[in-house]
Coordinates of all heavy atoms in Angstrom, one line a residue:
L263 N -60.9 57.6 -6.5 CA -60.8 56.8 -7.7 C -61.7 55.6 -7.7 O -62.4 55.2 -8.6 CB -59.4 56.4 -8.0 CG -58.4 57.5 -8.2 CD1 -57.0 57.0 -8.4 CD2 -58.7 58.4 -9.4
I264 N -61.7 54.9 -6.5 CA -62.5 53.7 -6.3 C -63.9 54.0 -6.0 O -64.9 53.5 -6.6 CB -61.8 52.8 -5.3 CG1 -60.4 52.4 -5.7 CG2 -62.7 51.5 -5.1 CD1 -59.6 51.7 -4.6
T265 N -64.1 54.9 -5.0 CA -65.4 55.2 -4.4 C -66.3 55.8 -5.5 O -67.5 55.5 -5.6 CB -65.3 56.1 -3.2 OG1 -64.4 55.5 -2.3 CG2 -66.6 56.3 -2.6
E266 N -65.8 56.8 -6.3 CA -66.6 57.4 -7.3 C -67.0 56.4 -8.4 O -68.1 56.5 -9.0 CB -65.8 58.6 -7.9 CG -65.7 59.8 -7.0 CD -65.0 60.9 -7.6 OE1 -64.7 60.9 -8.8 OE2 -64.8 61.9 -6.9
T267 N -66.1 55.4 -8.7 CA -66.5 54.4 -9.7 C -67.6 53.5 -9.1 O -68.5 53.2 -9.9 CB -65.2 53.6 -10.0 OG1 -64.2 54.5 -10.5 CG2 -65.6 52.6 -11.1
I268 N -67.5 53.1 -7.9 CA -68.5 52.2 -7.3 C -69.9 52.9 -7.3 O -70.9 52.3 -7.6 CB -68.1 51.8 -5.9 CG1 -66.8 50.9 -5.9 CG2 -69.2 51.0 -5.2 CD1 -66.3 50.6 -4.6
F269 N -69.9 54.1 -6.9 CA -71.2 54.8 -6.7 C -71.6 55.7 -7.9 O -72.5 56.5 -7.8 CB -71.2 55.7 -5.4 CG -71.1 54.9 -4.2 CD1 -69.8 54.6 -3.5 CD2 -72.2 54.3 -3.6 CE1 -69.7 53.9 -2.4 CE2 -72.1 53.5 -2.4 CZ -70.9 53.3 -1.8
S270 N -70.8 55.6 -9.0 CA -71.1 56.4 -10.2 C -71.1 57.9 -9.8 O -72.0 58.7 -10.3 CB -72.4 56.0 -10.9 OG -72.2 54.7 -11.4
W271 N -70.2 58.3 -8.9 CA -70.2 59.7 -8.5 C -69.4 60.5 -9.6 O -68.3 60.2 -9.9 CB -69.5 59.8 -7.2 CG -69.5 61.2 -6.6 CD1 -68.5 62.1 -6.7 CD2 -70.5 61.8 -5.7 NE1 -68.9 63.3 -6.0 CE2 -70.1 63.1 -5.4 CE3 -71.8 61.3 -5.3 CZ2 -70.9 63.9 -4.6 CZ3 -72.5 62.1 -4.5 CH2 -72.1 63.4 -4.2
P272 N -70.0 61.6 -10.1 CA -69.4 62.3 -11.3 C -68.3 63.2 -10.9 O -68.4 64.4 -11.1 CB -70.6 63.0 -11.9 CG -71.5 63.3 -10.7 CD -71.4 62.1 -9.8
G273 N -67.3 62.7 -10.3 CA -66.2 63.5 -9.9 C -64.9 63.3 -10.6 O -64.9 62.6 -11.7
M274 N -63.8 63.8 -10.1 CA -62.5 63.7 -10.9 C -62.0 62.3 -10.8 O -61.3 61.8 -11.8 CB -61.5 64.7 -10.2 CG -60.3 64.9 -11.1 SD -59.4 66.3 -10.6 CE -58.9 65.8 -8.9
G275 N -62.3 61.5 -9.7 CA -61.8 60.2 -9.6 C -62.3 59.3 -10.7 O -61.6 58.5 -11.4
Q276 N -63.7 59.4 -11.0 CA -64.3 58.6 -12.0 C -63.7 59.0 -13.4 O -63.5 58.2 -14.3 CB -65.8 58.8 -12.0 CG -66.6 57.9 -12.9 CD -68.1 58.2 -12.9 OE1 -68.5 59.3 -13.0 NE2 -68.9 57.2 -12.8
L277 N -63.5 60.3 -13.5 CA -63.0 60.9 -14.8 C -61.6 60.3 -15.1 O -61.3 59.9 -16.2 CB -62.9 62.4 -14.7 CG -62.3 63.1 -16.0 CD1 -63.2 62.9 -17.2 CD2 -62.1 64.6 -15.7
I278 N -60.7 60.2 -14.0 CA -59.4 59.7 -14.2 C -59.4 58.2 -14.6 O -58.7 57.7 -15.5 CB -58.6 59.8 -12.9 CG1 -58.3 61.3 -12.7 CG2 -57.2 59.1 -13.0 CD1 -57.6 61.6 -11.3
I279 N -60.3 57.4 -14.0 CA -60.4 56.0 -14.3 C -60.9 55.8 -15.8 O -60.3 55.0 -16.5 CB -61.5 55.3 -13.4 CG1 -61.0 55.2 -12.0 CG2 -61.8 53.9 -13.9 CD1 -59.8 54.3 -11.8
Q280 N -61.8 56.6 -16.2 CA -62.3 56.6 -17.6 C -61.2 57.0 -18.6 O -61.0 56.4 -19.6 CB -63.5 57.4 -17.8 CG -64.8 57.0 -17.0 CD -65.9 58.0 -17.0 OE1 -65.7 59.1 -17.4 NE2 -67.1 57.5 -16.6
A281 N -60.4 58.0 -18.2 CA -59.3 58.5 -19.0 C -58.2 57.5 -19.2 O -57.7 57.3 -20.3 CB -58.8 59.8 -18.5
V282 N -57.9 56.8 -18.1 CA -56.9 55.7 -18.1 C -57.4 54.6 -19.0 O -56.6 54.0 -19.8 CB -56.6 55.2 -16.7 CG1 -55.7 54.0 -16.8 CG2 -55.8 56.3 -15.9
N283 N -58.6 54.2 -18.9 CA -59.1 53.1 -19.7 C -59.2 53.4 -21.2 O -59.0 52.5 -22.0 CB -60.6 52.7 -19.2 CG -60.6 52.1 -17.8 OD1 -59.6 51.4 -17.4 ND2 -61.7 52.2 -17.1
T284 N -59.4 54.6 -21.5 CA -59.5 55.0 -22.9 C -58.1 55.6 -23.4 O -58.1 56.1 -24.5 CB -60.6 56.1 -23.1 OG1 -60.4 57.2 -22.3 CG2 -61.9 55.4 -22.8
R285 N -57.1 55.6 -22.6 CA -55.8 56.2 -22.9 C -55.9 57.7 -23.3 O -55.2 58.1 -24.2 CB -55.2 55.4 -24.0 CG -55.0 53.9 -23.7 CD -54.0 53.7 -22.6 NE -53.8 52.3 -22.4 CZ -52.9 51.5 -23.0 NH1 -52.1 52.0 -23.9 NH2 -52.8 50.2 -22.7
D286 N -56.8 58.4 -22.6 CA -56.9 59.8 -22.9 C -55.9 60.6 -22.0 O -56.2 61.1 -20.9 CB -58.4 60.3 -22.6 CG -58.7 61.6 -23.1 OD1 -57.8 62.4 -23.5 OD2 -59.9 62.0 -23.2
M287 N -54.7 60.7 -22.5 CA -53.6 61.1 -21.7 C -53.6 62.6 -21.4 O -53.1 63.1 -20.4 CB -52.3 60.8 -22.4 CG -52.0 59.3 -22.5 SD -52.3 58.4 -20.9 CE -51.1 59.2 -19.9
A288 N -54.3 63.4 -22.2 CA -54.4 64.8 -21.8 C -55.2 65.0 -20.5 O -54.9 65.8 -19.7 CB -55.1 65.6 -23.0
I289 N -56.3 64.2 -20.4 CA -57.1 64.3 -19.1 C -56.2 63.8 -18.0 O -56.3 64.4 -16.9 CB -58.3 63.4 -19.3 CG1 -59.3 64.0 -20.3 CG2 -59.1 63.2 -17.9 CD1 -60.0 65.2 -19.9
V290 N -55.5 62.7 -18.2 CA -54.7 62.1 -17.1 C -53.6 63.1 -16.7 O -53.4 63.3 -15.5 CB -54.0 60.8 -17.5 CG1 -53.1 60.3 -16.5 CG2 -55.1 59.8 -17.8
Q291 N -53.0 63.8 -17.6 CA -51.9 64.7 -17.3 C -52.5 65.9 -16.5 O -52.0 66.3 -15.4 CB -51.3 65.3 -18.6 CG -50.3 64.3 -19.2 CD -49.7 64.9 -20.5 OE1 -50.4 65.5 -21.3 NE2 -48.4 64.7 -20.6
A292 N -53.6 66.5 -16.9 CA -54.2 67.6 -16.3 C -54.7 67.2 -14.8 O -54.5 67.9 -13.9 CB -55.4 68.1 -17.1
A293 N -55.3 66.0 -14.7 CA -55.8 65.5 -13.4 C -54.6 65.3 -12.4 O -54.7 65.7 -11.2 CB -56.6 64.3 -13.6
V294 N -53.5 64.7 -12.9 CA -52.4 64.4 -12.0 C -51.8 65.8 -11.5 O -51.5 65.9 -10.3 CB -51.3 63.6 -12.8 CG1 -50.0 63.6 -12.0 CG2 -51.8 62.2 -13.0
F295 N -51.7 66.7 -12.4 CA -51.1 68.0 -12.0 C -52.0 68.7 -11.0 O -51.5 69.3 -10.0 CB -50.9 68.9 -13.2 CG -50.0 70.1 -13.0 CD1 -48.7 70.0 -13.1 CD2 -50.6 71.3 -12.6 CE1 -47.9 71.1 -12.9 CE2 -49.8 72.4 -12.4 CZ -48.4 72.3 -12.5
V296 N -53.3 68.7 -11.2 CA -54.3 69.4 -10.3 C -54.2 68.7 -8.9 O -54.2 69.4 -7.9 CB -55.7 69.3 -10.9 CG1 -56.7 69.7 -9.9 CG2 -55.8 70.3 -12.1
V297 N -54.2 67.4 -8.9 CA -54.2 66.6 -7.6 C -52.9 67.0 -6.9 O -52.9 67.2 -5.7 CB -54.3 65.1 -7.9 CG1 -54.0 64.3 -6.6 CG2 -55.7 64.8 -8.4
A298 N -51.8 66.9 -7.6 CA -50.5 67.2 -6.9 C -50.5 68.7 -6.3 O -50.0 68.9 -5.2 CB -49.4 67.1 -7.9
F299 N -51.1 69.6 -7.1 CA -51.1 71.0 -6.6 C -52.0 71.1 -5.4 O -51.7 71.8 -4.4 CB -51.7 71.9 -7.7 CG -51.7 73.3 -7.3 CD1 -50.6 74.1 -7.3 CD2 -52.9 74.0 -7.0 CE1 -50.6 75.5 -7.0 CE2 -53.0 75.3 -6.7 CZ -51.8 76.0 -6.6
L300 N -53.1 70.4 -5.3 CA -54.0 70.4 -4.2 C -53.3 69.8 -2.9 O -53.5 70.3 -1.8 CB -55.3 69.6 -4.5 CG -56.2 70.2 -5.5 CD1 -57.4 69.3 -5.8 CD2 -56.8 71.6 -5.0
V301 N -52.6 68.8 -3.1 CA -51.8 68.2 -2.0 C -50.8 69.1 -1.4 O -50.7 69.3 -0.2 CB -51.2 66.8 -2.4 CG1 -50.2 66.3 -1.3 CG2 -52.2 65.8 -2.8
I302 N -50.1 69.8 -2.3 CA -49.1 70.8 -1.8 C -49.8 72.0 -1.0 O -49.3 72.3 0.0 CB -48.4 71.4 -3.1 CG1 -47.5 70.4 -3.7 CG2 -47.5 72.6 -2.6 CD1 -46.9 70.8 -5.0
I303 N -50.9 72.5 -1.5 CA -51.6 73.5 -0.9 C -52.2 73.1 0.5 O -52.1 73.8 1.5 CB -52.8 74.1 -1.8 CG1 -52.2 74.7 -3.0 CG2 -53.6 75.1 -1.0 CD1 -51.3 75.9 -2.7
S304 N -52.7 71.8 0.5 CA -53.2 71.3 1.8 C -52.2 71.2 2.9 O -52.4 71.5 4.0 CB -53.9 70.0 1.6 OG -53.0 69.0 1.2
N305 N -51.0 70.8 2.5 CA -49.8 70.8 3.4 C -49.4 72.2 3.9 O -49.1 72.4 5.1 CB -48.6 70.1 2.8 CG -48.9 68.6 2.6 OD1 -49.6 68.0 3.4 ND2 -48.3 68.0 1.6
L306 N -49.5 73.1 3.0 CA -49.2 74.5 3.4 C -50.2 75.1 4.4 O -49.9 75.7 5.4 CB -49.1 75.4 2.2 CG -48.8 76.9 2.4 CD1 -47.4 77.0 3.1 CD2 -48.8 77.6 1.1
L307 N -51.5 74.8 4.1 CA -52.5 75.2 5.0 C -52.4 74.5 6.4 O -52.7 75.2 7.4 CB -53.9 74.9 4.4 CG -54.3 75.7 3.2 CD1 -55.6 75.2 2.6 CD2 -54.4 77.2 3.5
A308 N -52.0 73.3 6.4 CA -51.8 72.6 7.7 C -50.7 73.3 8.5 O -50.8 73.5 9.7 CB -51.4 71.2 7.5
D309 N -49.6 73.8 7.9 CA -48.5 74.5 8.6 C -49.1 75.8 9.2 O -48.7 76.1 10.3 CB -47.4 74.8 7.6 CG -46.6 73.6 7.2 OD1 -46.7 72.6 8.0 OD2 -45.9 73.6 6.2
I310 N -50.0 76.5 8.5 CA -50.6 77.7 9.0 C -51.5 77.4 10.2 O -51.5 78.1 11.2 CB -51.3 78.4 7.9 CG1 -50.4 78.8 6.8 CG2 -52.1 79.6 8.5 CD1 -51.1 79.4 5.6
L311 N -52.2 76.3 10.1 CA -53.2 75.9 11.1 C -52.5 75.5 12.4 O -53.0 75.7 13.5 CB -54.1 74.8 10.6 CG -55.3 74.5 11.5 CD1 -56.2 75.8 11.6 CD2 -56.2 73.4 10.8
Y312 N -51.2 75.0 12.3 CA -50.5 74.7 13.5 C -50.4 75.9 14.5 O -50.5 75.8 15.7 CB -49.0 74.3 13.2 CG -48.9 72.9 12.5 CD1 -47.8 72.6 11.7 CD2 -49.9 72.0 12.6 CE1 -47.7 71.4 11.1 CE2 -49.8 70.8 11.9 CZ -48.7 70.5 11.2 OH -48.6 69.3 10.6
R313 N -50.1 77.1 13.8 CA -49.9 78.3 14.6 C -51.2 78.7 15.3 O -51.2 79.3 16.4 CB -49.3 79.4 13.7 CG -49.1 80.7 14.4 CD -47.9 80.6 15.4 NE -47.7 81.8 16.2 CZ -46.9 82.8 15.8 NH1 -46.2 82.7 14.7 NH2 -46.7 83.9 16.5
V314 N -52.3 78.5 14.6 CA -53.6 78.9 15.1 C -53.9 78.0 16.3 O -54.4 78.5 17.3 CB -54.7 78.7 14.0 CG1 -56.1 78.9 14.6 CG2 -54.4 79.6 12.9
L315 N -53.6 76.7 16.3 CA -53.9 75.8 17.4 C -53.0 76.0 18.5 O -53.3 75.9 19.7 CB -53.8 74.4 16.9 CG -54.9 73.9 16.0 CD1 -54.6 72.5 15.4 CD2 -56.3 73.9 16.7
D316 N -51.7 76.3 18.3 CA -50.7 76.5 19.3 C -49.8 77.7 19.0 O -48.9 77.6 18.2 CB -49.8 75.2 19.4 CG -49.0 75.3 20.7 OD1 -48.9 76.3 21.4 OD2 -48.3 74.2 21.0
P317 N -50.1 78.9 19.6 CA -49.4 80.1 19.4 C -47.9 80.0 19.8 O -47.1 80.8 19.4 CB -50.1 81.1 20.2 CG -51.5 80.6 20.5 CD -51.3 79.1 20.5
R318 N -47.6 79.0 20.6 CA -46.2 78.8 21.0 C -45.3 78.4 19.8 O -44.0 78.5 19.9 CB -46.1 77.8 22.1 CG -46.8 78.2 23.4 CD -46.8 77.1 24.4 NE -47.5 75.9 23.9 CZ -47.6 74.7 24.5 NH1 -47.0 74.6 25.7 NH2 -48.2 73.7 24.0
I319 N -45.9 77.8 18.8 CA -45.1 77.3 17.6 C -44.5 78.5 16.9 O -45.2 79.5 16.6 CB -46.0 76.5 16.7 CG1 -46.4 75.2 17.4 CG2 -45.2 76.2 15.4 CD1 -47.3 74.3 16.5
K320 N -43.2 78.5 16.7 CA -42.5 79.5 16.0 C -41.9 79.0 14.7 O -41.5 77.9 14.6 CB -41.3 80.1 16.9 CG -41.8 80.6 18.2 CD -42.7 81.8 18.1 CE -43.0 82.4 19.5 NZ -44.0 83.5 19.4
Y321 N -42.0 79.8 13.6 CA -41.5 79.5 12.3 C -40.2 80.2 12.1 O -40.2 81.4 11.8 CB -42.5 79.8 11.2 CG -43.8 79.0 11.3 CD1 -44.9 79.6 11.8 CD2 -43.8 77.7 10.9 CE1 -46.1 78.9 11.9 CE2 -45.0 76.9 11.0 CZ -46.1 77.5 11.5 OH -47.3 76.8 11.6
N322 N -39.1 79.5 12.3 CA -37.8 80.2 12.1 C -37.1 79.7 10.8 O -37.2 78.6 10.4 CB -36.9 79.8 13.3 CG -37.4 80.3 14.6 OD1 -37.9 81.4 14.7 ND2 -37.3 79.5 15.7

Side-chain angles (χ1 to χ4, degrees):
L263 296 178
I264 301 171
T265 306
E266 289 183 3
T267 302
I268 293 173
F269 294 97
S270 297
W271 186 266
M274 195 166 60
Q276 187 184 49
L277 179 67
I278 293 174
I279 293 293
Q280 294 171 348
V282 170
N283 289 334
T284 58
R285 303 291 181 89
D286 195 346
M287 294 312 299
I289 295 288
V290 175
Q291 286 180 314
V294 168
F295 193 87
V296 168
V297 169
F299 183 76
L300 291 176
V301 172
I302 292 171
I303 294 300
S304 67
N305 289 330
L306 180 61
L307 291 176
D309 288 342
I310 297 173
L311 195 55
Y312 291 158
R313 181 67 182 270
V314 175
L315 289 172
D316 190 350
R318 295 174 300 175
I319 294 178
K320 303 295 182 183
Y321 296 105
N322 296 321

